[in-house]
Amino acid sequence: MEKDKTEDSSQVLDTTRQLTQLMIDRNTIELNRILDEHFTLTHITGYVQSKKEWFSEIESERMKYYAYSEVKTSVTIDKDKAVFVGQNLLDARIWGTRHNWRLQQTMDLEKRNGKWVILKSVATTF
């Protein structure tokens, strides 16, 4: 049981790190594979953005991600549900403003057919 939780936690971390790298790579095809069809991203402003709109922003580079440095992560697993909280220093240009954002993302995930899928992400600063 404990081994399963450790393995699940590791898989959740891998999935969330993959998300950030795919944002930098502007790879919306692969992002689509790890995000739920109804995925939403809540920005630090409180604006809730659909996956379709977010992908459009990434593809047009209105949201351009350059690099990140992981500061702290935690994962809580409850059966086939997980909550990830990660703090990154994220170098990004969002709607014209480039900054090294102190970004905390809280993500809800669900395990489906052995793979973790990100349902939503809520961003705040830390």
Side-chain angles (χ1 to χ4, degrees):
M1 181 75 169
E2 193 60 39
K3 183 181 177 198
D4 290 345
K5 268 197 170 183
T6 301
E7 187 174 316
D8 280 336
S9 291
S10 178
Q11 290 173 359
V12 166
L13 283 172
D14 288 348
T15 301
T16 59
R17 288 172 177 149
Q18 182 182 15
L19 169 78
T20 307
Q21 189 57 53
L22 291 169
M23 290 164 45
I24 293 166
D25 295 343
R26 293 181 45 224
N27 190 337
T28 54
I29 292 169
E30 289 301 317
L31 277 169
N32 196 48
R33 295 181 204 275
I34 63 171
L35 299 176
D36 182 69
E37 65 178 304
H38 302 291
F39 172 84
T40 59
L41 171 62
T42 304
H43 292 275
I44 59 176
T45 60
Y47 179 67
V48 180
Q49 191 170 43
S50 70
K51 179 171 74 168
K52 181 179 178 183
E53 182 185 357
W54 184 45
F55 283 6
S56 176
E57 299 276 19
I58 291 170
E59 290 164 351
S60 70
E61 294 191 0
R62 289 198 59 209
M63 292 188 182
K64 171 88 172 133
Y65 304 96
Y66 298 95
Y68 78 104
S69 175
E70 193 171 87
V71 175
K72 183 177 170 185
T73 62
S74 70
V75 177
T76 306
I77 305 282
D78 184 13
K79 298 178 184 133
D80 64 346
K81 304 280 188 196
V83 176
F84 164 85
V85 179
Q87 296 177 342
N88 289 324
L89 301 177
L90 181 69
D91 179 7
R93 185 181 69 238
I94 306 298
W95 301 316
T97 303
R98 185 168 179 180
H99 188 67
N100 283 308
W101 306 92
R102 295 175 54 84
L103 192 69
Q104 177 170 299
Q105 287 184 283
T106 302
M107 296 184 211
D108 292 343
L109 298 92
E110 183 175 73
K111 194 172 191 178
R112 298 179 184 160
N113 300 317
K115 302 275 186 203
W116 287 97
V117 176
I118 302 169
L119 306 176
K120 73 175 187 173
S121 178
V122 176
T124 56
T125 56
F126 72 96

